[in-house]
Amino acid sequence: IVQNSDLSQHIDGSEIAIIGMAGRFPGAKNIDEFWENIRDGIESITFFTDEDLLAAGIKPAVLSNSKYVKARPVLDDIDVFDASFFGFSPKDAALMDPQLRLFMECVWNVLESAGYDPEAYEGTIGVCAGASMSSYLINNVCLNPNAHSLVRDAQCRVFNNLGSLATLIAYKLNLKGPCYSIQTFCSTSLVAVHMACQSLLDYECDMAIAGGASIIVPQRSGYWYEDGFIVSPNGHCRPFDANAKGTIFG
């Protein structure tokens, strides 16, 4: 979360202050644990056994294929959401992309970290947010026996639409600044921060929340490696390293 700290006419970027941070990551439930993992060189990729993947419903023929990489970043508690706290029904929560739920929780956490109550704050708060395509819609909602009626539900379309990510959260948390839902692939969160800073420098708002969420479901599954594509052949991601061979999503 960033905030304008100077209303002078001379603008050089130093007017912006970072006043709060929040996040949840594989192997780290908050920012402090995340920094500790970086400091200690902990790799937060989960490598699955065949038994793990069979129990998760992966077919034996897939597991025997050498191009199937049995690894993925796993984020804890993506199925845990206090729906009533945020004003949603249990049905709403069941239809909702976990990425939206996660980002909403993090927005609440970052406002607490910064010490601001949007119901009492007299300025305007904006949101710049991004997320991956809703794999939850494809792999969970659309595979439901009642999928046809569910997908026709307007709420389902809203809860799994990247375009509604920022505006829905702003509506629920009474954030009245500009709202931008952003998708620029791997640079999404960085572009969100850039847009938040631009909104502050242009005086579109007094405070801005920026970030992103990426959850691929089912989490307990591997991924397919393809020669010449960007994914890692071995489940390891080694940026800026001579041994770097590709990335892994999560």
Side-chain angles (χ1 to χ4, degrees), residues 5-212:
S5 59
D6 192 308
L7 297 179
S8 67
Q9 295 302 308
H10 177 70
I11 295 175
D12 62 7
S14 62
E15 298 81 6
I16 296 173
I18 299 172
I19 61 170
M21 295 181 71
R24 281 173 50 198
F25 309 90
K29 63 179 180 290
N30 53 47
I31 291 290
D32 291 338
E33 290 187 6
F34 181 64
W35 291 129
E36 289 171 4
N37 287 348
I38 293 176
R39 180 197 64 195
D40 298 338
I42 294 175
E43 183 181 43
S44 296
I45 305 297
T46 299
F47 289 84
F48 304 110
T49 65
D50 285 357
E51 289 72 21
D52 292 333
L53 295 173
L54 287 169
I58 306 299
K59 297 183 183 303
V62 171
L63 301 181
S64 63
N65 193 309
S66 61
K67 290 188 177 294
Y68 188 74
V69 184
K70 304 167 186 177
R72 187 177 296 281
V74 174
L75 188 66
D76 291 337
D77 297 330
I78 66 165
D79 57 339
V80 177
F81 181 66
D82 192 343
S84 61
F85 178 82
F86 290 103
F88 294 103
S89 70
K91 177 188 174 184
D92 289 342
L95 291 176
M96 193 181 301
D97 186 349
Q99 297 177 126
L100 194 158
R101 302 196 302 246
L102 171 70
F103 199 83
M104 188 175 299
E105 291 168 338
C106 286
V107 169
W108 181 270
N109 289 338
V110 81
L111 287 166
E112 286 191 323
S113 168
Y116 282 87
D117 176 2
E119 298 292 342
Y121 182 58
E122 295 182 357
T124 56
I125 304 174
V127 182
C128 297
S132 301
M133 179 180 69
S134 178
S135 58
Y136 182 76
L137 176 65
I138 298 169
N139 295 322
N140 286 65
V141 178
C142 288
L143 295 182
N144 188 296
N146 301 314
H148 183 69
S149 60
L150 291 174
V151 175
R152 291 180 59 191
D153 190 310
Q155 292 294 82
C156 178
R157 297 197 297 273
V158 169
F159 294 154
N160 290 276
N161 188 329
L162 296 180
S164 64
L165 176 65
T167 47
L168 179 61
I169 290 173
Y171 171 72
K172 281 294 184 180
L173 299 184
N174 196 38
L175 311 179
K176 298 179 179 179
C179 297
Y180 302 109
S181 294
I182 296 164
Q183 177 51 266
T184 62
F185 205 50
C186 291
S187 61
T188 295
S189 293
L190 183 60
V191 173
V193 172
H194 169 77
M195 295 295 293
C197 292
Q198 287 296 110
S199 290
L200 291 171
L201 294 175
D202 290 340
Y203 299 104
E204 293 181 332
C205 57
D206 302 290
M207 193 183 303
I209 299 168

